[in-house]
Each structure stands twice: as C-alpha cells, then as structure tokens.
Amino acid sequence: MILRQLGSNQTELSLNNGNSIFFSYETPVAGYDAEDGFFKTETYYSKTTSRHINQYFKHVDAGDIKIVPDNSIYFAVNSHDIEIISAPFVLTFDSYDQEACQDEVTFAFEFDVFSEADQSVSLSFIELPSALSAQFSNPQLTNADSSGTINISGFNNLPPQDLVLTLRAEGQNLTRSINLELKIREDNFQGIQLLTPVNPEQEQSRTVSLSWTAHQNATEYGVEVSKSETFSSLTHSKTVFSTSTSLVNLDFSSVYFWRVKPINSCGEGGYSEAGNFRTYTVNCKTYNVEELPVQIKDAMGSIVKTTDVNLDIYDQAIVQDLDVNLTIDHGYIGDISLYLVAPDNTRIKLAQNLGDNQNDYIDTVFDQESPNPIVFAVPPFTGRYRPQGDLSVLNGKNLKGRWKLEVQDQYDDSIVGFVNTFSITVCYRGNVVLDTDNDGVSDNFDNCPSIPNTDQSDSNGDGLGDLCDLYSNDNFSLKKSNPTCSEKNNGFISISAIAFFDYQLILNGPNGLRIEESFSNQNELKIPNLAKGNYSICVRSPSNTDFERCYTTELFDPDPLGLTTQINEVDLTVTVELSGGENYHLSLNGNDYNFKTGRHRLALRAGLNRLEVTSDFSCQGRLIREIYVAKDSSVYPNPTSEIVNISIGGQALKANILLFNLDGNLLFSKEVILNPLKRSYQIPVDHFPPGLYFIRVISGERIENLKLLKR
C-alpha cells in the first residue's frame, strides 16, 4: 500500500491489488478499480473538489468513468481489511515504474529509519535478467543514509517489453520485497490499422465507438477527428491509453474523418491512414406543451406528490435522438425529482434532488451526449447536461403517443414551484410518416404498410412482408390425406394462405371432377370426399387478375399393414415395428395396447405368445404372430433306460444335437429342423451302457451342455 501526494490537499492511496482511492482534502471521491475501471462518487462537491476530480481524470474519457454511491467507494477497490503495521525502516521510491528509451534508467529512493536500534539494510535484485546490470549508489544502507539511486542498464540487449524487477531490502528485523516496473520502449513505430467503424457507408448514431489495433511500443494513442479530409480543422483531438475511444454529441447528417498515431515516452509514430464514417441523415423537430405554466404540487408530510405535464404527439417517426428541454422555477430546487415517461411507459430519471436550496432549472437541456453530468453541475442549471438516467434507451422507439414529464416533490415545506416550459426535441431519420395500419411500425419502415404485421415477418427475405406478399413461394400451404380404404372416397386436400387477399381455387380430379371454391387468408379451405387419383389445384386472386399459382398432387390407397418383430431371449421381450397406418391396436396374450407408427417394446412370457395387430381402418385387415419362447433347453426323463426327449430353447429354426460319453467320445450327432410349436427331439439310448453322458445343444448362437444318467 502506497500513499502519494498528488497536489495541494490531493492524495492517492494505491493498494497492492492494483486498485486506488483518490482523496480531495480527506474525503474519498474517486478512484480506479482493476476490473471495472475509473469511477467517482455521485455526490455534488464544491468547485475546488470538482476541480481536483477533473484534474485526476484529465487523461480519461468522460464516458469511461463509472458513477458509484458514496458509501460503496472503499468496497469498490478493496475486498479485504486494510492493516497498517509499523516497520523499523521504510524504503520509498520517487517512482516505482519507468519507461526506458535509452540504455540506462535511474530509480531514486528515500531511506527512513523508525527504530532506535542501528539499522543496516542491504539491497539486491532477485533474479535480475542476465542482459541487465544494476549499479547501487550504496548497496548497504545505514541509519545515516537518507537517499540513494539504482542505475539499471543493458536495455539495448532486450526487445520492447514490460518487466517487473524485484528488489530485496534486507535488514536485521525486516526483509522487504519491492517491485519496480520497467517498460522497455522503442521509437520504432509501424503503422496501425483502424478497426471500427468497419463500413463507412453504414450510418452511425451521434455516439460512435472508434477502435484500432494495438502497437507493441505504444503507451498511448493520439486520435484526431475532423470533418475535413485534410484535417485542416479538428472536431476532436485527444490522447487515450487504450485502443478505443468514444465520440459523443456528433452532428447528424455529417461525414467524419479520423486517424490515430502511436505514442510513448521515447517518441511518437506517424498517423494511420484516415478512416471515415457518416452519421445518420436526420430531421429534427421540437414539440412543445402549450398550456403552461403548471404549479408543482407540494408534498404532504411524508407523502410524495407527483405533478404530470403531458405532451401528446401524433406524428409517426422512429426516434434516433431525443433531448428534453425545460424551465422550472422553485424556491428549493433540491425538493424535486424529474422523470421523462415515454408512450410505452419507459421511465428515465433526469435529475433527483439536486441543487439544495438553490434555484432553478433555466433553459435546461437534458442531452445524453453532453459531456457534463448534471450530478456534478452547480445550479442554476442552464445549458446542456447528461441526465442521471439514460435517454438513449428511447432510440429506436416510436415517437407517436403521450410523453410525460413527472415532477416529484418529496419534502413538505410549503415552497411553491412551477413548470414554465417543457418540450422535447426529436431527431428522426427521413420524414415524419404515418402508420397507416396502426401496427406500431411506421410506413417508411413497414414491410407491409397496409396490413398490421407487428412481427414484420418476411419468410423469403425479399423485403415485402408475408401478409402482403401474394407472389411469395411461401404464401400457400397445401395438405392432403389419402383415402382410408380403396373402396372409400374419404380423402381430402386443403389449402391455406398467409398473404391478406381473397382467393379462388379450381380443383380438377379423376373422372372429370371439377370444384371451384373461394377462400381468404382468414380460413383454411378443405375439399373433402376425394378418391384416389391425380389432382391439379390452381389458385387465382380476383384483385390481381394476372396472378395464378398451380400445383399437382396424388392421393393413394393406404399402405398395407406392416409388422416386424425382434425377440430378446435374455430379458423375454419383443420389439414390434408398425407401419401402414397411423393408429394401431395390439393384443398380446390378452393384454390390449394402443400405439402410433414406430417401434414399441413389450414383455413376453415363457412358452407360446399370441400377438394380434389391427389399425383404425378395418380394410387393412388383421396380422397375427405366434411367438414361442423357451428359456433353456432340457432333457427328460432323466435318468432314463431307453429313450431321452430333448426340449430345445431359443428361437432358432434348426439345432445340432451331440451326445458324448465321459471320455469325450462323440456317440451321436444330428441336425434337426424346428418350428415354433414343436421344439423337441427324441434319442434312443437303450443300446448305450449305463453311466453318465453329456448332451450338447447348438441353436443359433446358443450353446448348452446337459447331463444325462443312463440306467
């Protein structure tokens, strides 16, 4: 933590986390946060303190400064407790960071001892880069030393970069590590590239963000903006420390040229090639409230009173920029707060309880592009000020409707005030136009100005809204349903339209069928009772005699009912796949199910299973499957003396049966053909001597080994 004196009654406290707090006199009023950037408190201060703040931010764009509440400033820069510990000595440098342009830089320091005991402090660098060398005026400091220098050289051997050199100051009772920042710079500048705005033909608002590529050697950048291609006169000239900046309060309907040059302490490069952009071509108009003045209602005890001044605007336009103009006479201007309410109820805070007992608002203009925040202004408020809220949220909104100035009085002090003038100045692109269809989209922006279409849908992207686009390929939707059975003429064809027109349909079908029907986009036209066959459909529009759109389609007999099954012998399930219909009725072992087209899994039981499938259409018939499932093969009777029966498990339609004695000799082998209802085979064994035998059954991928005892 470092405390620096920046000027008379101006100090800065720098914390180890990179944050800092700026004090005017003994009051924290501004600072820097490593994550959120520069900030200042929202309170209005004296002219002297305001001057201190402005001096502190002299190299910072006004738009880059965040406003924070007064009571949050310490938390904004430090998340931990600050602890101050006394030390036997302090080593303080005039500067902890330097830029190196030549081959040598010097860090000067002060050495102060706060202990009565003798102090001897040695100085050394920790891991100094090999290319650099350090020369101490006195590497061993004592109580008698009060100052010294450290010369560092060898920069010519290193490329431009930022280094942190760690200095160790080691005493009897304390060792400190001090970071010295060294920025190696060159005056070798190559050109930089402008990034945004990208397209010079694309019109910009009154606030424009400029950005460019960073330069390795640059610590700051000089930015020039002019309406002249030769930069003979400048509208903006600034030096910034980042690779971007914002221009505010630009003139509408103007072309601006801009260029950037890199700068560091060693020198500066040449300007980049000039870029250009143009601001919106707009017209501006002021709308006034005529019936003024209006007396401001005084608060009643703790009850806040609100006075509304309404401004009805019937012109139709899209707001590109809006300023609020007013004059208010009040004996205690700090009593009142001002809000602007848009027709869509968007509410913007203009000023809240500013000015104390001073007065007034005199020819006050609230302009979002103003560089002067009203919270830092001194009453009477005359001129252009940036409001506490954000007027730019109104850009893009519709002008038409009731605008309202809300004046709130929060203090019951019997002081009278008046709203003497209230107007808004609106800039808009193009001319004021009507909203013919009252859909909230002005005619000059509406892709379908005669028919309400708030969503402005344009499926084919041709610039004409779907509700107006008769010729769009997406206008018509055709649906059909095949007859349920060949003997039933119950198919249908339907058509619907998006575009807002009247239509006539002509349908021609098999056996000389011809149907003519009228419809509109308000309803779907359905032609029922159609047989299978080929159909032609043509659509015309009575109001557009040159329009005709034709389609062909075919209605088919229904597909045959389809059923496939897949047996899982492990978990005793069957997966059925249904086709040919839409709704199916299944019966499995007396249990009924209803399914849609697709795959479905059902549980089986050991032994014989019966599956029946039908659809909604009786003409598709009935499908029946019998599924026999035996979990495992078995032999019986066992023991036996004459004949053994082998029951074969699984689903395979053939099996190999092998008989072995205890010595592994094959005594019998047979391939048998199976069916779902008879899965057994009989082997005579009366001619085999008594003893233990092995029977192997191979069916599909199943291999089972069974034991047989012969009496």
Side-chain angles (χ1 to χ4, degrees), residues 191-194 212 222 231 258-262 269-275:
I192 58 178
Q193 301 295 318
L194 306 184
W212 54 89
F231 294 86
W258 67 289
R259 60 187 184 182
V260 180
K261 66 178 178 182
Y271 280 105
S272 65
E273 293 187 6

Side-chain angles (χ1 to χ4, degrees), residues 372-408:
N372 305 312
I374 194 161
V375 293
F376 299 119
V378 178
F381 302 114
T382 300
R384 308 185 80 87
Y385 301 96
R386 188 165 72 244
Q388 289 181 269
D390 187 0
L391 285 171
S392 67
V393 301
L394 302 173
N395 297 346
K397 293 184 179 295
N398 208 308
L399 173 64
K400 183 179 179 180
R402 171 163 288 183
W403 297 79
K404 181 167 59 180
L405 176 67
E406 239 182 51
V407 184
Q408 291 186 356

Side-chain angles (χ1 to χ4, degrees), residues 187-431:
D187 59 0
N188 178 25
F189 296 101
Q190 297 178 352
I192 58 178
Q193 301 295 318
L194 306 184
L195 297 179
T196 58
V198 177
N199 183 2
E201 299 302 319
Q202 181 178 349
E203 293 187 338
Q204 307 292 323
S205 68
R206 296 182 70 190
T207 298
V208 175
S209 294
L210 306 178
S211 67
W212 54 89
T213 56
H215 196 287
Q216 182 181 9
N217 290 331
T219 58
E220 53 189 323
Y221 299 89
V223 182
E224 288 188 347
V225 184
S226 175
K227 289 186 178 181
S228 167
E229 193 170 3
T230 63
F231 294 86
S232 56
S233 62
L234 302 179
T235 61
H236 298 77
S237 179
K238 59 173 69 176
T239 300
V240 298
F241 298 95
S242 63
T243 57
S244 64
T245 189
S246 294
L247 306 177
V248 299
N249 205 27
L250 297 172
D251 295 334
F252 282 122
S253 310
S254 300
V255 177
Y256 288 88
F257 299 89
W258 67 289
R259 60 187 184 182
V260 180
K261 66 178 178 182
I263 302 171
N264 64 24
S265 58
C266 303
E268 59 184 54
Y271 280 105
S272 65
E273 293 187 6
N276 68 88
F277 60 88
R278 64 182 67 243
T279 55
Y280 290 138
T281 300
V282 300
N283 296 311
C284 299
K285 184 176 180 180
T286 299
Y287 300 87
N288 300 281
V289 177
E290 301 295 338
E291 298 178 359
L292 291 175
V294 171
Q295 185 171 343
I296 298 170
K297 301 173 185 176
D298 194 22
M300 295 181 63
S302 60
I303 301 174
V304 176
K305 288 292 186 178
T306 300
T307 303
D308 293 338
V309 183
N310 298 323
L311 174 59
D312 292 319
I313 298 177
Y314 300 98
D315 288 343
Q316 186 82 12
I318 301 300
V319 176
Q320 297 298 326
D321 185 74
L322 186 146
D323 298 339
V324 180
N325 321 292
L326 53 84
T327 296
I328 296 178
D329 179 16
H330 198 281
Y332 202 106
I333 202 71
D335 283 2
I336 64 174
S337 299
L338 306 176
Y339 300 86
L340 179 69
V341 183
D344 66 351
N345 292 319
T346 300
R347 191 166 180 262
I348 313 296
K349 180 166 65 176
L350 302 175
Q352 182 178 21
N353 303 121
L354 303 178
D356 296 329
N357 62 343
Q358 305 174 63
N359 54 26
D360 292 315
Y361 292 93
I362 302 174
D363 295 329
T364 307
V365 180
F366 290 99
D367 178 0
Q368 194 61 41
E369 285 72 35
S370 172
N372 305 312
I374 194 161
V375 293
F376 299 119
V378 178
F381 302 114
T382 300
R384 308 185 80 87
Y385 301 96
R386 188 165 72 244
Q388 289 181 269
D390 187 0
L391 285 171
S392 67
V393 301
L394 302 173
N395 297 346
K397 293 184 179 295
N398 208 308
L399 173 64
K400 183 179 179 180
R402 171 163 288 183
W403 297 79
K404 181 167 59 180
L405 176 67
E406 239 182 51
V407 184
Q408 291 186 356
D409 193 308
Q410 297 174 270
Y411 300 98
D412 184 1
D413 50 16
S414 300
I415 297 178
V416 176
F418 293 90
V419 178
N420 293 323
T421 65
F422 167 52
S423 64
I424 62 174
T425 299
V426 181
C427 294
Y428 47 86
R429 299 173 70 178
N431 298 316

Side-chain angles (χ1 to χ4, degrees), residues 8-249:
S8 177
N9 297 312
Q10 303 174 61
T11 52
E12 182 184 52
L13 179 66
S14 297
L15 306 177
N16 294 335
N17 59 7
N19 300 335
S20 60
I21 305 174
F22 175 69
F23 295 81
S24 176
Y25 296 91
E26 297 179 354
T27 303
V29 295
Y32 175 79
D33 183 271
E35 294 184 358
D36 295 334
F38 296 99
F39 62 88
K40 58 185 176 184
T41 59
E42 60 186 355
T43 298
Y44 166 75
Y45 293 104
S46 67
K47 291 183 178 180
T48 301
T49 294
S50 297
R51 188 170 62 252
H52 290 169
I53 296 172
N54 292 335
Q55 180 66 21
Y56 183 68
F57 291 127
K58 64 180 179 180
H59 295 302
V60 182
D61 289 342
D64 295 334
I65 304 173
K66 180 181 177 182
I67 307 298
V68 302
D70 300 330
N71 60 2
S72 69
I73 188 166
Y74 289 109
F75 299 102
V77 296
N78 193 63
S79 59
H80 304 285
D81 294 336
I82 297 174
E83 183 180 6
I84 300 176
I85 302 174
S86 61
F89 70 88
V90 172
L91 197 65
T92 305
F93 284 81
D94 291 348
S95 173
Y96 290 85
D97 60 87
Q98 292 200 43
E99 292 188 355
C101 300
Q102 307 300 321
D103 194 48
E104 182 178 286
V105 298
T106 299
F107 288 91
F109 62 84
E110 298 288 334
F111 178 68
D112 296 303
V113 177
F114 298 97
S115 173
E116 294 181 358
D118 290 339
Q119 290 290 324
S120 179
V121 177
S122 61
L123 302 180
S124 63
F125 279 104
I126 302 174
E127 297 182 357
L128 187 71
S130 59
L132 302 181
S133 61
Q135 184 68 40
F136 297 88
S137 62
N138 189 353
Q140 197 75 27
L141 304 175
T142 65
N143 291 24
D145 298 308
S146 60
S147 63
T149 58
I150 304 174
N151 292 327
I152 302 175
S153 58
F155 308 123
N156 291 343
N157 302 319
L158 294 175
Q161 59 184 294
D162 294 344
L163 297 176
V164 177
L165 309 179
T166 303
L167 177 71
R168 175 180 292 177
E170 186 172 2
Q172 292 95 322
N173 301 315
L174 176 67
T175 298
R176 289 190 61 198
S177 294
I178 302 171
N179 288 334
L180 302 178
E181 298 183 21
L182 191 61
K183 299 177 174 61
I184 303 175
R185 300 290 184 250
E186 295 181 350
D187 59 0
N188 178 25
F189 296 101
Q190 297 178 352
I192 58 178
Q193 301 295 318
L194 306 184
L195 297 179
T196 58
V198 177
N199 183 2
E201 299 302 319
Q202 181 178 349
E203 293 187 338
Q204 307 292 323
S205 68
R206 296 182 70 190
T207 298
V208 175
S209 294
L210 306 178
S211 67
W212 54 89
T213 56
H215 196 287
Q216 182 181 9
N217 290 331
T219 58
E220 53 189 323
Y221 299 89
V223 182
E224 288 188 347
V225 184
S226 175
K227 289 186 178 181
S228 167
E229 193 170 3
T230 63
F231 294 86
S232 56
S233 62
L234 302 179
T235 61
H236 298 77
S237 179
K238 59 173 69 176
T239 300
V240 298
F241 298 95
S242 63
T243 57
S244 64
T245 189
S246 294
L247 306 177
V248 299
N249 205 27

